Amino acid sequence: MADGIDETLATIGPRLRAVRERRQVTLAGLSQASGISASTLSRLESGGRKPTLELLLRLAGAHKVPVDELISGPATSDPRVRPAPVHRDDRTMIPLTRRPGGLQAYKMIVAPGEKHAEQRTHEGYEWMYVLNGTLRLLLGELDLLMGPGEVAEFDTHTPHWFGSAGQHPVELLILFGRQGERLHVRARPRTAVR
């Protein structure tokens, strides 16, 4: 077991350097963003210092990546990303984003037959796009049926509930911002300022 840990620790330094170089950040820039001295960062990348959980958490935050990306790295034999689905009640959520904080994207599949539940509120802002099936969205006093290609956008402080309205599952894309971040939709290209 210790051999496996030592092998993993030996790969972290080069992985840290690769992430930093891929983002085109200097040691000085990363030092400023993470609060870790440039000399410590250099020793971590060269393998002269073993990483602690505190250092990895600070680096993950500075790079805006999950800690496991710094520890395990991508699989080399299969480049496909396989996000782990999350199952809650009759819903399956597949995360499409991997960075912590900010807007999160999910593909959601809602099984048919879910009984209408109590409308809830929470912090955030939500945007949903129906891919397949018919979605029933209760939004305050509104009772809406949405089909493929239809979009809804709302503040999640508004009481809401949604589920499949038909005999088949409904598939949708969801963008969710916990701090209430709204989407910025551009309807036409920006023009040059004169």
Side-chain angles (χ1 to χ4, degrees), residues 88-128:
R88 289 191 187 133
D89 301 319
D90 291 335
R91 299 164 187 243
T92 301
M93 294 175 34
I94 303 164
L96 302 176
T97 51
R98 295 188 58 195
R99 68 182 180 94
L103 287 174
Q104 300 294 313
Y106 299 92
K107 177 178 180 185
M108 181 180 282
I109 302 165
V110 183
E114 181 180 358
K115 301 294 182 211
H116 169 264
E118 175 183 331
Q119 292 187 46
R120 300 190 182 244
T121 64
H122 52 85
E123 192 71 30
Y125 204 85
E126 197 159 321
W127 177 92
M128 53 179 58

Side-chain angles (χ1 to χ4, degrees), residues 184-192:
H184 300 283
V185 179
R186 188 179 301 170
R188 61 179 174 249
R190 289 185 180 166
T191 57

Side-chain angles (χ1 to χ4, degrees), residues 2 10 20 29 45 49 63 75 111 117 122 124 133-134 140 143 155 184 187 189 192:
R20 180 178 59 79
E45 289 183 1
R49 177 168 179 175
H63 287 307
H122 52 85
T134 304
D143 188 347
D155 185 326
H184 300 283

Side-chain angles (χ1 to χ4, degrees), residues 136-185:
R136 180 176 182 202
L137 172 63
L138 301 180
L139 188 61
E141 307 228 352
L142 296 174
D143 188 347
L144 306 167
L145 292 179
M146 297 172 55
E150 292 191 277
V151 177
E153 181 179 14
F154 56 92
D155 185 326
T156 56
H157 287 105
T158 304
H160 61 281
W161 173 90
F162 59 90
S164 175
Q167 299 296 319
H168 303 285
V170 63
E171 296 179 40
L172 57 151
L173 293 178
I174 293 183
L175 297 179
F176 175 73
R178 291 196 184 281
Q179 271 61 54
E181 295 99 336
R182 294 191 62 162
L183 296 176
H184 300 283
V185 179

